[in-house]
């Protein structure tokens, strides 16, 4: 699944993603930490990995595996 960064707080390393259908999806610090990224920019396109319950477990760039 992919989305766009709607907000990101570098202090807490968490934020909100906007899915293509307009749904907002929050991500916790552990999902950002699992990405290996150093920062996110507003409007940046990202790939979203979720667990079976729909919780975001990793936020990465679309080109990363």
């Amino acid at each position: 699944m992919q989305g766009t960064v709607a907000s990101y707080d570098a202090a807490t390393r968490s934020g909100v993603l906007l899915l293509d259908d307009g749904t907002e999806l929050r991500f916790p610090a552990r999902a950002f930490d699992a990405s290996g990224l150093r920062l996110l920019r507003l409007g940046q396109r990202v790939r979203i990995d979720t667990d079976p319950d729909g919780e975001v477990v990793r936020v990465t760039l679309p080109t990363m595996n």
Side-chain angles (χ1 to χ4, degrees):
M1 168 175 21
Q2 292 190 9
T4 304
V5 178
S7 69
Y8 173 68
D9 183 340
T12 63
R13 298 179 330 281
S14 61
V16 177
L17 305 170
L18 187 61
L19 302 182
D20 292 340
D21 67 0
T23 303
E24 289 187 350
L25 184 61
R26 297 191 178 281
F27 67 92
R30 68 180 173 277
F32 177 76
D33 294 342
S35 73
L37 298 174
R38 295 187 331 170
L39 61 92
L40 290 172
R41 295 183 326 273
L42 297 182
Q44 185 173 21
R45 192 78 173 154
V46 293
R47 188 177 78 205
I48 306 157
D49 296 329
T50 58
D51 66 13
D53 296 325
E55 184 174 338
V56 179
V57 294
R58 190 168 75 146
V59 177
T60 60
L61 299 179
T63 56
M64 295 177 70
N65 287 326

Coordinates of all heavy atoms in Angstrom, one line a residue:
M1 N 0.9 -1.2 0.0 CA 0.0 0.0 0.0 C 0.9 1.2 0.0 O 2.0 1.2 0.6 CB -0.9 -0.1 1.2 CG -1.6 1.1 1.6 SD -2.8 1.0 3.0 CE -2.3 -0.3 3.9
Q2 N 0.4 2.3 -0.6 CA 1.2 3.6 -0.7 C 0.3 4.7 -0.2 O -0.9 4.6 -0.2 CB 1.7 3.9 -2.1 CG 2.8 2.9 -2.5 CD 3.4 3.3 -3.8 OE1 3.2 4.4 -4.3 NE2 4.2 2.5 -4.4
G3 N 1.0 5.8 0.3 CA 0.4 7.0 0.7 C 1.3 8.1 0.7 O 2.4 8.0 0.2
T4 N 0.8 9.3 1.2 CA 1.6 10.5 1.2 C 1.7 11.0 2.7 O 0.8 10.9 3.4 CB 0.9 11.6 0.4 OG1 0.7 11.0 -0.9 CG2 1.6 12.9 0.3
V5 N 2.9 11.5 3.0 CA 3.1 12.0 4.4 C 2.3 13.3 4.5 O 2.5 14.3 3.8 CB 4.6 12.3 4.6 CG1 4.8 12.9 6.0 CG2 5.4 11.1 4.4
A6 N 1.3 13.3 5.5 CA 0.5 14.4 5.8 C 1.1 15.2 6.9 O 1.0 16.5 6.9 CB -1.0 14.0 6.1
S7 N 1.7 14.5 7.9 CA 2.4 15.2 9.0 C 3.4 14.3 9.5 O 3.3 13.0 9.5 CB 1.4 15.6 10.1 OG 0.9 14.5 10.8
Y8 N 4.5 14.9 10.0 CA 5.6 14.1 10.6 C 6.2 14.9 11.7 O 6.6 16.1 11.5 CB 6.6 13.7 9.6 CG 7.8 13.0 10.2 CD1 7.7 11.8 10.8 CD2 9.1 13.7 10.2 CE1 8.8 11.2 11.4 CE2 10.2 13.1 10.8 CZ 10.0 11.8 11.4 OH 11.1 11.2 12.0
D9 N 6.4 14.4 12.9 CA 7.0 15.0 14.0 C 8.3 14.4 14.3 O 8.4 13.2 14.8 CB 6.1 14.9 15.3 CG 6.6 15.7 16.5 OD1 7.8 16.0 16.5 OD2 5.8 15.9 17.4
A10 N 9.4 15.1 14.0 CA 10.7 14.5 14.1 C 11.1 14.2 15.6 O 11.9 13.3 15.9 CB 11.8 15.5 13.5
A11 N 10.5 15.0 16.5 CA 10.8 14.7 17.9 C 10.2 13.4 18.4 O 10.8 12.7 19.2 CB 10.2 15.9 18.8
T12 N 9.0 13.0 17.9 CA 8.4 11.8 18.4 C 8.6 10.7 17.3 O 8.2 9.5 17.6 CB 6.9 12.0 18.6 OG1 6.2 12.3 17.4 CG2 6.6 13.0 19.7
R13 N 9.0 11.0 16.1 CA 9.2 10.1 15.0 C 7.9 9.4 14.6 O 7.9 8.3 14.2 CB 10.3 9.1 15.3 CG 11.7 9.7 15.6 CD 12.8 8.7 15.9 NE 12.4 7.5 16.6 CZ 12.2 7.4 17.9 NH1 12.2 8.5 18.7 NH2 11.9 6.2 18.5
S14 N 6.8 10.1 14.8 CA 5.5 9.5 14.4 C 4.8 10.6 13.5 O 5.2 11.7 13.4 CB 4.7 9.2 15.6 OG 4.5 10.4 16.4
G15 N 3.7 10.1 12.9 CA 3.0 11.1 12.1 C 1.7 10.5 11.5 O 1.2 9.5 12.0
V16 N 1.2 11.1 10.4 CA 0.0 10.8 9.8 C 0.2 10.7 8.3 O 0.9 11.5 7.7 CB -1.1 11.8 10.0 CG1 -2.4 11.4 9.3 CG2 -1.4 11.9 11.5
L17 N -0.3 9.6 7.7 CA -0.2 9.4 6.3 C -1.6 9.5 5.7 O -2.6 9.3 6.3 CB 0.3 8.0 6.0 CG 1.6 7.6 6.6 CD1 1.9 6.1 6.5 CD2 2.8 8.4 6.0
L18 N -1.6 10.0 4.4 CA -2.9 10.1 3.7 C -2.9 9.1 2.6 O -2.0 9.1 1.7 CB -3.0 11.6 3.1 CG -4.3 12.0 2.5 CD1 -5.4 11.9 3.5 CD2 -4.2 13.4 1.9
L19 N -3.8 8.2 2.7 CA -4.0 7.2 1.6 C -4.6 7.7 0.4 O -5.2 8.8 0.4 CB -4.8 6.0 2.2 CG -4.3 5.3 3.4 CD1 -5.1 4.1 3.8 CD2 -2.8 4.9 3.3
D20 N -4.5 7.0 -0.7 CA -5.1 7.5 -2.0 C -6.6 7.8 -1.9 O -7.1 8.6 -2.7 CB -4.7 6.6 -3.1 CG -3.2 6.5 -3.4 OD1 -2.5 7.5 -3.0 OD2 -2.8 5.6 -4.0
D21 N -7.3 7.1 -1.1 CA -8.7 7.3 -1.0 C -9.1 8.4 0.0 O -10.3 8.6 0.3 CB -9.4 6.0 -0.6 CG -9.1 5.5 0.8 OD1 -8.3 6.2 1.5 OD2 -9.6 4.4 1.2
G22 N -8.1 9.1 0.6 CA -8.3 10.2 1.5 C -8.3 9.8 3.0 O -8.4 10.7 3.8
T23 N -8.2 8.5 3.3 CA -8.1 8.0 4.6 C -6.8 8.4 5.3 O -5.8 8.3 4.7 CB -8.3 6.5 4.7 OG1 -9.5 6.1 4.0 CG2 -8.3 6.0 6.1
E24 N -6.9 9.0 6.5 CA -5.7 9.3 7.3 C -5.3 8.0 8.1 O -6.2 7.3 8.7 CB -6.0 10.4 8.3 CG -6.2 11.7 7.6 CD -6.2 12.9 8.6 OE1 -6.4 12.7 9.8 OE2 -6.2 14.0 8.1
L25 N -4.0 7.8 8.1 CA -3.5 6.6 8.8 C -2.3 7.0 9.7 O -1.3 7.5 9.1 CB -3.1 5.5 7.8 CG -2.6 4.2 8.3 CD1 -3.7 3.5 9.1 CD2 -2.2 3.3 7.1
R26 N -2.4 6.9 11.0 CA -1.3 7.3 11.9 C -0.3 6.2 11.9 O -0.6 5.0 11.8 CB -1.9 7.5 13.3 CG -2.9 8.6 13.4 CD -3.2 9.0 14.8 NE -4.1 10.2 14.8 CZ -3.7 11.4 14.6 NH1 -2.4 11.7 14.4 NH2 -4.6 12.4 14.6
F27 N 1.0 6.6 12.1 CA 2.1 5.6 12.2 C 2.9 6.0 13.5 O 3.1 7.2 13.8 CB 2.9 5.5 11.0 CG 3.8 6.7 10.7 CD1 5.1 6.9 11.2 CD2 3.3 7.7 9.9 CE1 5.8 8.0 10.9 CE2 4.0 8.9 9.6 CZ 5.3 9.0 10.1
P28 N 3.3 5.0 14.3 CA 4.0 5.2 15.5 C 5.5 5.3 15.2 O 6.0 4.9 14.1 CB 3.7 3.9 16.3 CG 3.5 2.9 15.3 CD 2.8 3.6 14.1
A29 N 6.3 5.7 16.2 CA 7.7 5.8 16.1 C 8.4 4.5 15.6 O 9.3 4.4 14.8 CB 8.3 6.3 17.4
R30 N 7.9 3.3 16.2 CA 8.5 2.1 15.8 C 8.4 1.7 14.3 O 9.2 1.1 13.8 CB 7.9 0.9 16.7 CG 6.5 0.6 16.5 CD 6.1 -0.6 17.4 NE 4.7 -0.8 17.3 CZ 3.7 -0.1 18.0 NH1 4.1 0.9 18.8 NH2 2.5 -0.4 17.8
A31 N 7.3 2.2 13.7 CA 7.1 2.0 12.2 C 8.2 2.9 11.4 O 8.7 2.4 10.5 CB 5.7 2.4 11.8
F32 N 8.4 4.1 11.9 CA 9.4 4.9 11.3 C 10.8 4.3 11.6 O 11.6 4.2 10.6 CB 9.4 6.3 11.8 CG 10.5 7.2 11.2 CD1 10.4 7.7 10.0 CD2 11.6 7.5 12.0 CE1 11.4 8.4 9.4 CE2 12.6 8.3 11.5 CZ 12.5 8.8 10.2
D33 N 11.1 3.9 12.8 CA 12.4 3.3 13.1 C 12.7 2.1 12.3 O 13.8 1.8 12.0 CB 12.5 3.0 14.6 CG 12.4 4.2 15.5 OD1 12.7 5.3 15.0 OD2 12.1 4.1 16.7
A34 N 11.7 1.3 12.0 CA 11.8 0.0 11.2 C 12.2 0.3 9.8 O 12.7 -0.5 9.1 CB 10.6 -0.8 11.2
S35 N 12.0 1.6 9.3 CA 12.3 1.9 7.9 C 13.8 2.1 7.6 O 14.2 1.9 6.5 CB 11.5 3.2 7.6 OG 12.2 4.3 8.2
G36 N 14.5 2.5 8.6 CA 15.9 2.9 8.3 C 16.1 4.3 7.8 O 17.2 4.7 7.5
L37 N 15.0 5.0 7.6 CA 15.1 6.4 7.1 C 15.5 7.3 8.2 O 15.4 7.0 9.4 CB 13.7 6.8 6.6 CG 13.1 6.0 5.4 CD1 11.7 6.5 5.1 CD2 14.0 6.1 4.2
R38 N 16.1 8.5 7.8 CA 16.5 9.5 8.8 C 15.4 10.6 8.9 O 15.4 11.2 10.0 CB 17.8 10.1 8.3 CG 18.9 9.1 8.3 CD 20.3 9.6 8.1 NE 20.3 10.8 7.3 CZ 21.4 11.5 7.1 NH1 22.5 11.2 7.7 NH2 21.4 12.6 6.4
L39 N 14.6 10.8 7.9 CA 13.6 11.8 8.0 C 12.5 11.6 7.0 O 12.7 10.8 6.0 CB 14.1 13.2 7.9 CG 14.9 13.6 6.6 CD1 13.9 14.2 5.6 CD2 16.0 14.5 6.9
L40 N 11.4 12.3 7.1 CA 10.3 12.3 6.1 C 9.9 13.7 5.9 O 10.0 14.6 6.7 CB 9.1 11.5 6.7 CG 9.2 10.0 6.8 CD1 7.9 9.5 7.5 CD2 9.3 9.4 5.4
R41 N 9.5 14.0 4.6 CA 9.1 15.4 4.3 C 7.6 15.3 4.0 O 7.0 14.4 3.5 CB 9.8 15.8 3.0 CG 11.2 16.0 3.1 CD 11.8 16.5 1.8 NE 11.2 16.0 0.6 CZ 11.5 14.9 -0.1 NH1 12.4 14.1 0.4 NH2 10.9 14.6 -1.2
L42 N 6.9 16.4 4.3 CA 5.5 16.6 4.0 C 5.3 16.4 2.5 O 6.1 16.9 1.7 CB 4.9 17.9 4.5 CG 5.0 18.2 5.9 CD1 4.4 19.5 6.2 CD2 4.3 17.1 6.7
G43 N 4.3 15.6 2.1 CA 4.0 15.4 0.7 C 4.8 14.3 0.1 O 4.6 13.9 -1.1
Q44 N 5.7 13.7 0.8 CA 6.6 12.6 0.3 C 5.7 11.4 0.1 O 4.9 11.0 1.0 CB 7.7 12.4 1.3 CG 8.7 11.4 0.8 CD 9.9 11.3 1.7 OE1 9.9 11.7 2.9 NE2 11.0 10.8 1.2
R45 N 5.9 10.7 -1.0 CA 5.2 9.4 -1.2 C 6.0 8.3 -0.5 O 7.2 8.2 -0.6 CB 5.3 9.2 -2.8 CG 4.4 8.1 -3.2 CD 3.0 8.6 -3.3 NE 2.1 7.6 -3.9 CZ 0.9 7.4 -3.6 NH1 0.2 8.2 -2.9 NH2 0.2 6.4 -4.2
V46 N 5.2 7.4 0.2 CA 5.8 6.3 0.9 C 5.1 5.0 0.7 O 3.9 5.0 0.3 CB 5.9 6.6 2.4 CG1 6.8 7.8 2.8 CG2 4.5 6.9 3.0
R47 N 5.8 3.9 1.0 CA 5.1 2.6 1.0 C 4.8 2.3 2.4 O 5.6 2.5 3.3 CB 6.1 1.6 0.4 CG 5.4 0.2 0.2 CD 6.2 -0.8 -0.4 NE 7.2 -1.3 0.6 CZ 8.3 -1.8 0.4 NH1 8.8 -1.9 -0.9 NH2 9.1 -2.2 1.3
I48 N 3.7 1.7 2.7 CA 3.2 1.4 4.0 C 3.1 -0.1 4.2 O 2.3 -0.8 3.4 CB 1.9 2.1 4.3 CG1 2.0 3.6 4.0 CG2 1.4 1.8 5.7 CD1 0.7 4.2 3.7
D49 N 3.7 -0.7 5.2 CA 3.5 -2.1 5.5 C 2.7 -2.1 6.8 O 3.0 -1.4 7.8 CB 4.9 -2.8 5.8 CG 5.7 -2.8 4.5 OD1 5.2 -2.9 3.4 OD2 7.0 -2.8 4.6
T50 N 1.7 -3.0 6.8 CA 0.8 -3.1 8.0 C 0.8 -4.6 8.5 O 1.1 -5.5 7.7 CB -0.6 -2.7 7.7 OG1 -1.1 -3.5 6.6 CG2 -0.7 -1.2 7.3
D51 N 0.4 -4.7 9.7 CA 0.2 -6.1 10.3 C -1.2 -6.5 10.0 O -2.0 -5.8 9.4 CB 0.5 -6.1 11.8 CG -0.4 -5.3 12.6 OD1 -1.5 -4.9 12.2 OD2 -0.1 -5.1 13.8
P52 N -1.6 -7.7 10.3 CA -2.9 -8.2 10.0 C -4.1 -7.4 10.6 O -5.2 -7.4 10.1 CB -2.9 -9.7 10.6 CG -1.5 -10.1 10.5 CD -0.7 -8.8 10.8
D53 N -3.8 -6.7 11.7 CA -4.8 -5.8 12.3 C -4.9 -4.4 11.7 O -5.7 -3.6 12.1 CB -4.5 -5.6 13.8 CG -4.6 -6.9 14.6 OD1 -5.4 -7.8 14.2 OD2 -3.8 -7.1 15.5
G54 N -4.0 -4.2 10.7 CA -4.0 -2.9 10.0 C -3.1 -1.8 10.6 O -3.1 -0.7 10.1
E55 N -2.4 -2.2 11.7 CA -1.5 -1.2 12.3 C -0.2 -1.1 11.4 O 0.3 -2.1 10.9 CB -1.1 -1.6 13.7 CG -0.2 -0.6 14.4 CD 0.0 -1.0 15.8 OE1 -0.7 -1.8 16.4 OE2 1.0 -0.5 16.4
V56 N 0.2 0.2 11.2 CA 1.4 0.4 10.4 C 2.6 -0.1 11.2 O 2.9 0.2 12.3 CB 1.6 1.9 10.1 CG1 2.8 2.2 9.3 CG2 0.4 2.5 9.4
V57 N 3.4 -1.0 10.5 CA 4.6 -1.5 11.1 C 5.9 -1.0 10.5 O 7.0 -1.1 11.1 CB 4.6 -3.1 11.1 CG1 3.5 -3.6 12.0 CG2 4.5 -3.6 9.7
R58 N 5.8 -0.4 9.2 CA 7.0 0.1 8.6 C 6.5 1.1 7.5 O 5.6 0.9 6.8 CB 7.8 -1.0 8.0 CG 9.2 -0.5 7.5 CD 10.0 -1.7 7.1 NE 9.6 -2.3 5.9 CZ 10.5 -2.8 5.0 NH1 11.8 -2.9 5.2 NH2 10.0 -3.3 3.9
V59 N 7.3 2.2 7.5 CA 7.1 3.2 6.4 C 8.4 3.4 5.7 O 9.4 3.7 6.3 CB 6.7 4.6 7.1 CG1 6.5 5.7 6.1 CG2 5.4 4.4 7.9
T60 N 8.4 3.1 4.4 CA 9.6 3.2 3.6 C 9.3 4.0 2.3 O 8.2 4.3 2.0 CB 10.1 1.8 3.2 OG1 9.1 1.1 2.5 CG2 10.5 1.0 4.5
L61 N 10.4 4.2 1.6 CA 10.2 4.8 0.3 C 9.8 3.7 -0.7 O 10.1 2.6 -0.6 CB 11.6 5.4 -0.2 CG 12.2 6.4 0.7 CD1 13.5 6.9 0.1 CD2 11.2 7.6 0.8
P62 N 9.0 4.1 -1.7 CA 8.4 3.1 -2.6 C 9.5 2.3 -3.4 O 9.2 1.2 -3.8 CB 7.6 3.9 -3.7 CG 7.3 5.2 -2.9 CD 8.4 5.4 -2.0
T63 N 10.7 2.8 -3.5 CA 11.8 2.1 -4.2 C 12.6 1.2 -3.3 O 13.4 0.4 -3.8 CB 12.7 3.1 -4.8 OG1 13.2 4.0 -3.8 CG2 12.0 4.0 -5.9
M64 N 12.3 1.2 -2.0 CA 13.1 0.3 -1.0 C 12.3 -1.0 -0.9 O 11.1 -1.1 -1.0 CB 13.2 1.0 0.3 CG 14.0 2.3 0.3 SD 14.0 3.1 1.9 CE 15.0 1.9 2.9
N65 N 13.1 -2.1 -0.7 CA 12.5 -3.4 -0.4 C 12.5 -3.7 1.1 O 13.2 -3.4 1.9 CB 13.3 -4.5 -1.1 CG 13.1 -4.4 -2.6 OD1 12.0 -4.1 -3.0 ND2 14.1 -4.7 -3.4

